[in-house]
Amino acid sequence: MSLTREHLAQEIIDAGRFLYGRGWSPATSSNYSTRLSPTEALLTVSGKHKGQLGLDDVLATDLSGNSLEPGKKPSAETLLHTQLYSWRPEIGAVLHTHSVNATVLSRLTPEDFIDFEDYELQKAFSGVSTHESQVRVPIFDNDQDIARLAAKVQPWLDAHPDCVGYLIRGHGLYTWGARMSDALRQIEAFEFLFECELKTRSLSHRKA
Ligand SMILES: CSC[C@@H](O)[C@@H](O)C(=O)COP(=O)(O)O
Ligand SMILES: [Zn+2]
């Protein structure tokens, strides 16, 4: 049974309250979406405070990122959501957040990826069943031209079908899941790993 638009909108609203409450979506940063149908997404309207979303603060788009609701301005980063729905039909929700740890870690990392290894919490990611695995998270340079950024993300996705999320340097995190609950679980796992990584780097630096 497919979920109604109101139910999906409420999932986005609840996600915003939770993510704002954790400090991972400050002010009007971040954007969230769910799949509305095989060819449509339901996304946050641009510029809204994500801790205070209402039922009217979402809109439907097609998978090319075009608004299907004139009068409502879609998120500036709509294409980064819709490209994921086009990429994998099983993706049902996409979350983008702006945490301090994601921002700092992506700025401190000169490489274009971070590898997480030997963390038990890696098992919170879809498809990962042991800490003896490597979760590679690509880092793309920030770009205000979202079509250009999406064009850089796409080859990575195509070459890494198991990718569970990516960072935009100095900006934030994108992750996704079959359901909103899966995407939220992955956000929490990423935030745990980002904090571990920053603490490990800071303590190793102090010892040296
Ligand atoms: C408050 S600056 C953040 C924005 O530039 C952007 O990165 C963002 O995440 C929110 O944009 P939005 O258009 O509201 O979806
Ligand atoms: Zn953003």
Side-chain angles (χ1 to χ4, degrees), residues 28-60:
T28 58
S29 75
S30 306
N31 29 73
Y32 320 127
S33 68
T34 63
R35 188 189 286 277
L36 190 54
S37 75
T39 57
E40 295 164 311
L42 190 66
L43 264 124
T44 42
V45 168
S46 185
K48 298 290 173 180
H49 189 296
K50 304 309 186 298
Q52 299 164 5
L53 293 171
L55 284 173
D56 224 27
D57 296 331
V58 295
L59 82 165

Side-chain angles (χ1 to χ4, degrees), residues 130-176:
T130 171
H131 66 286
E132 292 176 306
S133 59
Q134 184 190 65
V135 174
R136 176 161 288 195
V137 181
I139 307 174
F140 300 99
D141 286 335
N142 199 12
D143 195 334
Q144 298 300 319
D145 183 333
I146 297 300
R148 190 165 56 197
L149 182 53
K152 288 187 186 140
V153 172
Q154 193 62 51
W156 174 277
L157 295 175
D158 292 336
H160 300 85
D162 296 335
C163 182
V164 290
Y166 65 83
L167 284 163
I168 308 173
R169 189 170 276 108
H171 180 160
L173 169 69
Y174 271 84
T175 191
W176 46 84

